[in-house]
Amino acid sequence: MRTVFGIPAAPLATGLVVALGVVLAVVAALAVRNRVFLKLGVRNVRRGRGRTVLIVVGLMLGTAIIASALGTGDTMSRTVRSAVFESLGETDELITVQGPDTEALLTGTAVEIEYFDETLAATVTERIPESAPVDAVAPAIIEPIAVQDRTSRENEPRVTLFASDPVAFAAFDPIRADGREVSLADLAPGQVYLNRDAAEDLGAAAGDALLLLVGTNLGEAEVAAVVDARGTGTEGAAVLMPLGAAQELLGRPGEVKHVLVSNDGDEASGAARTGEVVAALDPVLAPLGLEALPMKEDGLDLADENGQAFMSIFTTFGTFSIAAGILLIFLIFVMLAAERRGEMGTARAIGTQRGHLVQTFLFEGFAYDLLAAAVGTALGVGIAYVMVLVMSSAFGDLLGGIELQHDTRPRSLLIAYGLGVLVTFLVVAASAWRVSRLNIVTAIRNAPEPVSRRPGRGRWVWMSLLALAGAAMTASGAAGAEGTAFLLGVSLLLIAVVLVARALGASERLVFTAGGIALVVWWLLPSGVHEAIVGKELSSDFSIFITAGLVVVVGATWTVMYNADVVIRVVSRGLAWLRGLAPVLKTALAYPLRTRFRTGITLAMFTLVVFTLVIGSTVSTSFIQAFDDEETFGGGFDIRTEMAPLGAVDDMATAVEENDAVDAADFEVIGAQSFVPVDARQTGADGTRPAAEYFVRGLDDAFLDHTTYGLSAIATGYDSADDVWRALATTDGLAVVDGFVAPRRGNFNFGTTPDFRLEGFFVEDEIFEPVPVEVTDPQTGAAIELSVIGVLSDNVPWEMSGITTSQDTLAPFGARARANVHFFAVAPGVDADAAAKELESAFLGNGMEAETMAALLDEAVGTSWMFNRLIQGFLGLGLIVGVAALAVVSARSVVERRQQIGVLRAIGFQRAMVRRTFVIEASFVALTAIVLGTTLGLMLAWNLVRDAQGQPGNENLAFVVPWVNLLVVFAAVYGAALIATSLPARKAARVYPAEALRYE
C-alpha cells in the first residue's frame, strides 16, 4: 500500500511504531509508579470473563475493519504482481522500436509493434556498458497467433507465440517438463512446447499435431512436451519455439520484435535497478531508434495502484463502521464507570485523586486494548480472506482468469494493530477523564449527578472555538466552491448555536430538536439549493458522504432522543387495548429515556451503519440498473471483434463478403476501430502542458455514421451527440474523449486517474469551448492537432475509452493506425451469438476474438453486482457494532436495575414480562435505528440520483431501492440483536424478588 487514509504507508507505519512505543513507555512508567492502581485495573479484567469477552469483541471491530481493508488491498496488489512475474519472469526491461506504451502491453491490449533487424540486438548486446547491472540479454519475438489442435479438434484464436535464441534465453527462466529442465535447443525442427494454460485450452498433450495460423501464414508443429515456463510475455496460453522457427513462420527472416533484458538480482530485486539500466542503455539505444521499456517496474507499480484502489474503497466505506466502533468503545467505558460509580465515590472520599481514577481505568482499558487489537487484526485477516474468495468469482474473468492470491503484508498488520491500539487508547483516555469528574456524595449514594446551570469558562471557550471554526470553514468553502467544507462549516455553526442557546438557559427539548432538524434538513437539501446560496457550483468528493452521514445521524439522534417521550406516549396509547403489554411497554421504554446519553450513543451507532448501508446499496443499485441497457451499451452494434495486429484485415466488409464461412447478409453495418498509443497534451491559450502517455482510437465512417453512443458534455456549436459524430465523420481534426480525462467537480473515483488530463471546463456544465489537444506518435514522431468537442457518457463500454477521432484524421500515423477492432450490427432476426461464433471460425487465422455486446455487458454488470454485494457485506460488519452495543447495554441494565426488577417481580411481574421488557428495550433502539437510518439514507440517495438524472448520458437512471436485499439484512440484524439481548433478559427474569430487594 502506498497510502492509508491519505498518509504514506511507510512513514505511517514508522510513526505508529514510535507512537505505540511512547504509549507503552508512558503506561509502563505509570504502572511502576502506581502498582496499586495497576492491580486494581487488571483485577477488573480478570473478574468477569464473560464481560471481558464482550468488551474485547466490541473493541476489536474497528481494528478488524482496518485490517481487512488493508489485507484486501495487499491481495489485489500481490495478484497483479504475480501475473507480472509470471509474464516477465527474469525479464526486467523490454527493448523495442521507440513508441510502445507499457501499460497497453501490460494489460494485453493489441498494439502494433514494429520488428527490427536482428543485428541491432547483437549491437545492443555488444555496447551495453560494463557498469550497467545487466546479467542477461536475449532477442525475442512475442506475438499473438491462432492455434488449432488437429488431434483434439480444439481451436484457440489467441495464443501467445514466444520465441527466443535458445542459447541466450538459457540465462533467463528455466523451462521444465515433468520435473526436468528442458531448453528451446532441445526442440527438433517442427516441434514446439505448450505451457499448461495452452494445453488446457486446446485439450492438448505431448505428440499432438498443431496448426499455427498467422493471417495467411500457416505452419504445422508437433507438441514436444507440456511445460512450466515463466517469462513468456503472458500469464495465459503460450506456445514456445526457437527464434529461427518463429521468423520462418511469421515471414520475418532476420528480424526480432524485442530484446529481453535481465538485471542483476532475482526476478523481484532486479526491478529495483531498472532506473540504472535504462539510464545506461538510453545512449546506446537512441541512435538505433530503440528504447528500453521498464516493463516490470511499471507492472509492479500498476499492481500497487490496483491494490491501493481496492484498499481505498474498503477503508472509505469502513469509515462509518470505524466511527461506530469508536462510539462503542466510549460507551463501554462510560458504562463500566457507571457500574463502579459508588466504588469510585468511596475511593475519592478516602483520598484517591481524580488522576488515580483515570489511571485505574487507563490500565484496565489498555489491557483490553492490547488484546482486542490483536484479536481484531487476526479477524481482519480472516475477513479479507473471505472477501478474496468472493472477489475471485467477481473479478476472475476481468483479470483474465488470474487466480487471486491472498496476502496481508507485515506492514499492513502493523498499521492495523497500531491504529487499533492507539485509537482505542485515546478514546479510553477521554472516557476515563470524563467519568472521573464525579460528585463524591452523589456517587456514594448512587444518586444522579447535579446539573450545573451555569457553564464554566472552559465551556464558553470551546464553544467559541467551535463557532470560529465553523465560520472559517463556511467562508473557505464558499470562496473555493468546496462542497464538503461549506456544508460542514454551516453545520458547525448550527451546533455552536444549539450549545450556546442551551448554555443561556433555553429549553433543552426546543434547542436540540430545532438544531437536529436543522442539521438533517441542511444536508438533505438538493445540491442546487446549496449552490444557489453560494452563487456557484460546488465541487465535492467522497468525503461529503462520510461527513453527511456523521452530521445527519447526530441531528437525527438529537431529534429522536429529545422527543422520544412523545413517541412513547403515542405508541402506548395506540397499544392500550393490549392490557397485558401496556405495563411492560411503559416499563421498557422508561429506562432508555432515563439514560438518554447511553441510549443516544447506541442509537447513533446503529443508525450510522444502517444509513451507510442503505445509501450505498440504493445508489449503486440505481446506477447498475441504469448501466444494464444493451441498446445504450452497444451503441448501435451487436458484436465486437479484435484481431492480432499481424492478422489484421484492412477491409473487413470485403473480407466478410469473400469468406464463404459467413453470410455477409447477416451484417448491416461493419465499423472499424484502430488503437495507437500516443503522447498527448492540451495546448491553447492556457499554455502548453507536459505530454503524457495515453492513446487514440480511430473510427471509420461506417462506425461514425451508425453509432448511438451518448455524450456527457458537448462543445459549443453542436446541438447533440449525433451532431458531434457526424462532425467527426465529415471534418478531420475533431475528437471526443472519455470521462476519465475530463475534469469534474465531483471526484468520486477511487482508482488512479490518467496522467493526461484536460482542464478549463467541467463535465457538469454540459457545454464547453472546444479544447485543443496535440497527440504525437512516439515511434514515428508524427503529430496531429485535435479539437475535443465531446466527452463520452459514463455508460459506454471501457473498450471506447481514450481519445476518439476519425480514421482519416489518423492518416499521418500511417500503418500504425491500422484497424484491428471491428463492430458489427447484425441484420434483424440474426442471432448475434451464432454470428460471433461464425466470425471467430471464419477468421481464426487472423486471431479474431468475437464477443457480443450483450455478453460484454453481462460480464460488466455481473462484476458490478458482485462488488456491490461485497461492499454491502463489508458495511454489514458495522452492524455487529450495533449488536454488540445492545448486548453491552442489556448486560449493564440487568446489574443496574436489579432492585427495580425485584420490585417489579414483587408487585406481580412474571418472568416472561421481565424478559419482554428487555426485548422491547433492545427492539426500541434497533428498530428506531433501522427506520431512521433507512429514511435518512433513502432521502439522501434520492437527492443524489435526482441530481445525476439531470446530466446527459443518464437518461436511463431511475431511483431503485433494493427492498428485498435490505429487508433480509435488517431482519437478520434485528434477529441478531434479539439474540444478543436474550441472555441478559433471561438472567434478569431469574432474579428472585427477595434477593433483589436486598441487593446493594
Side-chain angles (χ1 to χ4, degrees):
M1 296 298 98
R2 295 179 176 179
T3 61
V4 179
F5 297 112
I7 305 172
L12 176 61
T14 302
L16 288 173
V17 170
V18 173
L20 197 55
V22 170
V23 169
L24 287 170
V26 170
V27 173
L30 292 174
V32 171
R33 185 176 178 182
N34 299 287
R35 295 184 179 180
V36 173
F37 299 111
L38 172 65
K39 292 180 179 179
L40 288 175
V42 175
R43 181 194 63 177
N44 290 326
V45 176
R46 297 196 305 262
R47 277 198 323 195
R49 294 182 180 179
R51 182 181 59 189
T52 298
V53 171
L54 191 59
I55 291 173
V56 169
V57 169
L59 299 184
M60 75 180 184
L61 291 172
T63 307
I65 290 168
I66 296 173
S68 60
L70 296 178
T72 303
D74 287 342
T75 292
M76 296 306 299
S77 178
R78 179 179 176 180
T79 297
V80 181
R81 278 175 166 263
S82 68
V84 172
F85 288 133
E86 179 69 24
S87 175
L88 297 176
E90 294 285 347
T91 301
D92 296 293
E93 295 84 35
L94 211 60
I95 297 176
T96 69
V97 173
Q98 292 176 350
D101 177 75
T102 55
E103 185 169 346
L105 293 174
L106 286 166
T107 55
T109 305
V111 292
E112 180 68 45
I113 300 178
E114 290 188 7
Y115 283 76
F116 58 92
D117 198 298
E118 190 175 355
T119 59
L120 292 181
T123 302
V124 170
T125 304
E126 293 171 358
R127 295 182 182 179
I128 293 177
E130 293 184 3
S131 59
V134 174
D135 64 8
V137 179
I141 292 176
I142 303 173
E143 191 76 69
I145 66 171
V147 179
Q148 182 181 79
D149 188 317
R150 290 184 167 180
T151 305
S152 66
R153 299 181 180 274
E154 294 287 343
N155 300 324
E156 273 300 317
R158 192 67 62 85
V159 176
T160 297
L161 165 65
F162 176 83
S164 183
D165 178 78
V167 176
F169 189 69
F172 283 74
D173 297 89
I175 304 172
R176 291 186 171 84
D178 298 326
R180 59 186 177 86
E181 189 169 323
V182 297
S183 168
L184 293 176
D186 298 334
L187 291 171
Q191 287 188 326
V192 297
Y193 293 132
L194 288 182
N195 71 359
R196 294 195 179 278
D197 286 331
E200 182 178 345
D201 292 343
L202 290 165
D208 280 10
L210 302 179
L211 184 64
L212 310 179
L213 305 95
V214 187
T216 58
N217 296 339
L218 302 177
E220 295 183 352
E222 178 189 349
V223 179
V226 176
V227 300
D228 294 304
R230 295 165 69 87
T232 59
T234 180
E235 70 279 359
V239 55
L240 292 73
M241 64 173 61
L243 183 61
Q247 291 170 335
E248 181 180 353
L249 170 67
L250 300 173
R252 295 284 186 173
E255 293 183 329
V256 296
K257 201 171 186 179
H258 309 285
V259 175
L260 313 179
V261 180
S262 175
N263 300 343
D264 291 339
D266 58 24
E267 65 178 20
S269 61
R273 313 200 71 172
T274 290
E276 298 177 60
V277 173
V278 171
L281 290 179
D282 275 348
V284 176
L285 300 177
L288 303 176
L290 305 176
E291 69 173 321
L293 302 179
M295 291 295 294
K296 187 175 291 181
E297 183 180 60
D298 285 354
L300 297 179
D301 286 344
L302 181 63
D304 290 340
E305 289 174 3
N306 286 333
Q308 183 70 40
F310 275 87
M311 187 276 296
S312 298
I313 292 173
F314 288 109
T315 51
T316 299
F317 281 104
T319 300
F320 295 97
S321 297
I322 294 170
I326 290 174
L327 289 176
L328 177 58
I329 296 168
F330 188 74
L331 175 65
I332 286 174
F333 284 92
V334 167
M335 292 187 68
L336 286 176
E339 179 181 339
R340 301 170 194 159
R341 190 159 171 263
E343 177 184 329
M344 290 191 298
T346 303
R348 292 280 284 122
I350 61 176
T352 303
Q353 299 177 5
R354 279 185 57 198
H356 294 152
L357 293 181
V358 172
Q359 288 181 40
T360 302
F361 269 98
L362 211 55
F363 293 139
E364 180 181 357
F366 199 60
Y368 291 131
D369 187 7
L370 293 175
L371 178 60
V375 175
T377 302
L379 178 62
V381 173
I383 294 171
Y385 181 78
V386 173
M387 290 197 296
V388 167
L389 293 180
V390 176
M391 285 192 296
S392 296
S393 173
F395 301 106
D397 293 336
L398 191 65
L399 296 172
I402 302 173
E403 182 180 353
L404 289 172
Q405 300 182 21
H406 179 72
D407 182 39
T408 303
R409 299 176 187 174
R411 186 172 67 183
S412 297
L413 295 176
L414 176 61
I415 291 174
Y417 183 78
L419 285 174
V421 170
L422 293 176
V423 170
T424 303
F425 177 79
L426 291 175
V427 177
V428 168
S431 57
W433 175 82
R434 180 186 184 278
V435 300
S436 67
R437 302 180 62 187
L438 52 81
N439 182 285
I440 298 175
V441 176
T442 57
I444 294 175
R445 294 177 177 177
N446 198 25
E449 286 287 324
V451 179
S452 175
R453 295 296 180 184
R454 294 185 178 181
R457 183 181 301 174
R459 187 176 174 187
W460 282 110
V461 169
W462 71 258
M463 285 191 298
S464 301
L465 293 176
L466 182 65
L468 290 174
M473 290 187 70
T474 302
S476 174
E482 293 287 340
T484 303
F486 175 68
L487 269 67
L488 180 59
V490 173
S491 301
L492 294 179
L493 286 174
L494 288 173
I495 294 173
V497 169
V498 168
L499 297 178
V500 169
R502 177 60 186 145
L504 294 176
S507 166
E508 187 177 54
R509 183 197 296 270
L510 176 63
V511 296
F512 280 106
T513 300
I517 293 175
L519 288 175
V520 172
V521 171
W522 174 244
W523 281 92
L524 296 183
L525 285 173
S527 59
V529 176
H530 299 141
E531 292 171 350
I533 295 173
V534 177
K536 61 182 76 172
E537 293 194 37
L538 299 173
S539 61
S540 58
D541 54 25
F542 209 90
S543 65
I544 198 168
F545 295 117
I546 297 175
T547 309
L550 296 174
V551 176
V552 166
V553 167
V554 169
T557 303
W558 278 357
T559 305
V560 170
M561 292 311 302
Y562 285 96
N563 295 276
D565 57 330
V566 177
V567 177
I568 290 171
R569 283 199 298 270
V570 172
V571 173
S572 298
R573 290 175 182 175
L575 298 177
W577 58 279
L578 295 174
R579 296 183 179 181
L581 185 61
V584 174
L585 185 66
K586 291 181 180 179
T587 305
L589 298 182
Y591 185 74
L593 292 182
R594 189 170 68 86
T595 55
R596 181 180 292 162
F597 177 77
R598 181 188 308 172
T599 305
I601 290 181
T602 308
L603 179 64
M605 283 187 287
F606 235 129
T607 304
L608 182 61
V609 182
V610 171
F611 170 86
T612 312
L613 189 60
V614 169
I615 190 173
S617 300
T618 303
V619 173
S620 61
T621 298
S622 299
F623 276 93
I624 291 173
Q625 291 202 7
F627 181 74
D628 190 8
D629 183 271
E630 288 188 23
E631 183 176 347
T632 303
F633 184 85
F637 297 96
D638 304 291
I639 300 172
R640 179 185 183 274
T641 68
E642 183 174 350
M643 293 179 291
L646 280 182
V649 175
D650 292 325
D651 187 347
M652 179 58 72
T654 301
V656 168
E657 288 180 359
E658 295 176 350
N659 197 308
D660 296 334
V662 291
D663 185 354
D666 289 346
F667 308 104
E668 288 189 330
V669 180
I670 302 176
Q673 181 189 91
S674 61
F675 176 93
V676 184
V678 295
D679 292 331
R681 62 191 176 100
Q682 180 178 343
T683 58
D686 294 335
T688 301
R689 294 171 177 80
E693 291 183 351
Y694 211 51
F695 46 89
V696 294
R697 296 184 188 271
L699 302 176
D700 68 357
D701 290 345
F703 187 104
L704 293 171
D705 290 339
H706 184 75
T707 185
T708 59
Y709 282 130
L711 301 176
S712 295
I714 297 174
T716 55
Y718 303 92
D719 297 327
S720 65
D722 287 341
D723 285 350
V724 171
W725 293 123
R726 280 195 296 269
L728 260 68
T730 57
T731 307
D732 291 350
L734 301 180
V736 300
V737 296
D738 59 52
F740 299 113
V741 302
R744 299 172 185 264
R745 290 189 178 89
N747 179 20
F748 303 106
N749 183 26
F750 288 100
T752 56
T753 56
D755 293 332
F756 170 66
R757 299 279 293 171
L758 297 183
E759 297 179 6
F761 71 98
F762 293 104
V763 173
E764 291 86 348
D765 294 334
E766 301 180 15
I767 299 175
F768 64 96
E769 293 298 321
V771 178
V773 170
E774 181 184 72
V775 295
T776 304
D777 178 6
Q779 183 168 300
T780 64
I784 299 174
E785 297 289 339
L786 299 174
S787 179
V788 176
I789 61 172
V791 178
L792 282 169
S793 174
D794 292 336
N795 55 14
V796 302
W798 180 88
E799 288 79 5
M800 285 296 296
S801 60
I803 304 170
T804 301
T805 186
S806 68
Q807 190 66 24
D808 292 340
T809 298
L810 297 183
F813 289 169
R816 289 271 288 163
R818 187 182 186 189
N820 66 332
V821 176
H822 293 85
F823 290 79
F824 294 76
V826 301
V830 175
D831 184 355
D833 290 311
K837 292 178 181 178
E838 289 179 358
L839 286 170
E840 274 196 357
S841 177
F843 294 95
L844 176 64
N846 303 90
M848 176 183 282
E849 289 185 324
E851 290 186 275
T852 64
M853 301 303 290
L856 290 171
L857 177 60
D858 288 343
E859 181 179 320
V861 171
T863 299
S864 298
W865 278 122
M866 185 66 74
F867 193 68
N868 182 34
R869 299 291 183 262
L870 186 65
I871 290 293
Q872 288 185 35
F874 189 74
L875 292 175
L877 294 174
L879 293 173
I880 301 175
V881 177
V883 174
L886 288 177
V888 171
V889 170
S890 298
R892 174 58 194 159
S893 296
V894 174
V895 177
E896 285 184 344
R897 298 158 63 188
R898 193 174 181 87
Q899 288 183 329
Q900 180 194 97
I901 294 169
V903 172
L904 291 175
R905 291 295 311 280
I907 62 176
F909 264 61
Q910 302 298 315
R911 287 187 176 185
M913 297 175 69
V914 174
R915 285 198 300 269
R916 291 192 197 109
T917 299
F918 281 88
V919 169
I920 291 174
E921 286 182 19
S923 298
F924 168 73
V925 175
L927 294 177
T928 301
I930 289 173
V931 172
L932 194 60
T934 300
T935 303
L936 296 174
L938 291 179
M939 292 174 68
L940 186 56
W942 165 256
N943 282 339
L944 295 172
V945 172
R946 185 177 60 179
D947 289 342
Q949 285 173 334
Q951 300 176 11
N954 288 330
E955 293 80 7
N956 296 330
L957 184 60
F959 184 68
V960 181
V961 182
W963 286 115
V964 175
N965 186 25
L966 292 177
L967 290 175
V968 169
V969 172
F970 293 152
V973 171
Y974 178 60
L978 294 183
I979 293 173
T981 57
S982 62
L983 184 61
R986 291 177 60 188
K987 183 178 180 181
R990 288 198 298 264
V991 172
Y992 290 99
E995 177 186 344
L997 293 174
R998 291 196 302 266
Y999 178 74
E1000 293 293 338

